[in-house]
Amino acid sequence: MKSIAVYCGSSAGTNPNFITQAQALAKAMVAQSLTLVYGGGRVGLMGTIADAVLAQGGQVIGVIPDFLDAKELAHKGCTELHVVKSMHERKLMMADRADGFIAMPGGYGTLEELFEVLTWGQLGLHRKPVALLNVDGYYDMLLQALDRMRDDHLLRAENRDQLLQSANPEDLLAQMAAYQPVQLEKWLTPPTT
């Protein structure tokens, strides 16, 4: 892996550990010479991780749609900043530039980006690792919902397992480096009795 797309909130949230862990992830990425690919914002957790990577001499690729750039939300200090026409173009460019994906705490947009790359992986459109940095159990209930999908046979166990997770940035990056994509030949079928 040479680059990781990080999806996270454009707000910092109320838990100070979200900021601490964004900075810890930045440090771990720079230590491994991993480029940050992210949504190009200068605010919230997005701005925090970009600032932390840049402060340590790392590389940051920001991708922001023009309507957000027009609101002066773009991080002008990025190593590369790409202003695109739409959210769809943003997500595609981020996915193309990244060798893996991490979701940190965030809202609807973070979840939408996470589930899109998970679905693309499930469909075999990419073979890149997808992971959650599960800060202070932020995603515990989501992981329970995914387990329920698996247990109710709406999601294959192999596809459930394609989502890596850890509360520790170094551990998460190690899991991603060791990731072996699943190759399934057929769709989920109901269990036979």
Side-chain angles (χ1 to χ4, degrees), residues 90-107:
R90 174 200 223 180
K91 291 186 299 179
L92 183 58
M93 182 178 283
M94 288 176 66
D96 286 345
R97 296 284 179 113
D99 298 319
F101 309 92
I102 294 175
M104 289 186 49

Side-chain angles (χ1 to χ4, degrees), residues 3 9 13 17-18 36 42 50 72 95 107 117 124 135-136 152 169 171 186:
S3 60
N17 205 26
F18 295 166
L36 169 66
R42 62 174 171 79
E72 299 181 356
V117 294
V135 180
D136 291 343
D152 285 345
D171 176 59
K186 59 188 252 182

Side-chain angles (χ1 to χ4, degrees), residues 2 12 21 59 65 76 87 94 99 104 119 133 171 181:
K2 295 181 181 178
Q21 290 299 339
Q59 302 292 304
K76 302 301 183 183
M87 294 293 282
M94 288 176 66
D99 298 319
M104 289 186 49
T119 302
L133 183 58
D171 176 59

Side-chain angles (χ1 to χ4, degrees), residues 38-43 46-47 50-51 54 60-84:
Y38 86 118
R42 62 174 171 79
V43 296
M46 291 173 60
D51 287 343
L54 291 166
V60 174
I61 299 171
V63 185
I64 193 164
D66 54 9
F67 75 92
L68 290 176
D69 181 45
K71 294 181 181 183
E72 299 181 356
L73 295 175
H75 194 307
K76 302 301 183 183
C78 292
T79 310
E80 294 178 29
L81 180 64
H82 301 272
V83 179
V84 296

